[in-house]
Amino acid sequence: MATLDISREGLMKDYSINECQLKDFLFGKPEESDGEKFRSIYDDLKVKMDGKIKESNKSAREQLLNSGKKIEQ
């Protein structure tokens, strides 16, 4: 969650879940979780993480291109 700049408190507030539900989401088994709510949280966090990955990859490419090193194909 740190990578996404999300705190436990923020996650509980944003998705209206309590501490026990958060623990179940983070450490429980998906089939035992509150399906729809946790699927929504998972999907939102995945979209945010995918965005961070794209941002990181773009930054790495820019650094490589700006380094002047030859890129082998």
Side-chain angles (χ1 to χ4, degrees):
M1 291 187 321
T3 301
L4 297 175
D5 299 322
I6 299 173
S7 67
R8 292 175 39 180
E9 293 78 15
L11 195 62
M12 290 188 297
K13 180 182 175 201
D14 290 347
Y15 296 102
S16 301
I17 58 175
N18 61 37
E19 184 75 28
C20 290
Q21 290 171 315
L22 178 63
K23 286 180 182 178
D24 189 35
F25 173 72
L26 294 174
F27 306 112
K29 296 179 182 171
E31 63 272 6
E32 296 174 1
S33 298
D34 181 8
E36 289 299 318
K37 179 175 275 196
F38 290 146
R39 184 65 188 179
S40 174
I41 295 170
Y42 171 82
D43 290 343
D44 287 350
L45 294 177
K46 182 163 179 4
V47 167
K48 289 177 183 178
M49 193 65 198
D50 288 346
K52 289 280 188 178
I53 291 169
K54 285 181 183 179
E55 187 178 301
S56 176
N57 288 343
K58 180 182 176 185
S59 176
R61 279 191 305 271
E62 288 174 356
Q63 287 178 356
L64 179 61
L65 291 173
N66 290 334
S67 72
K69 293 180 181 177
K70 182 178 177 181
I71 299 173
E72 298 290 331
Q73 292 209 5

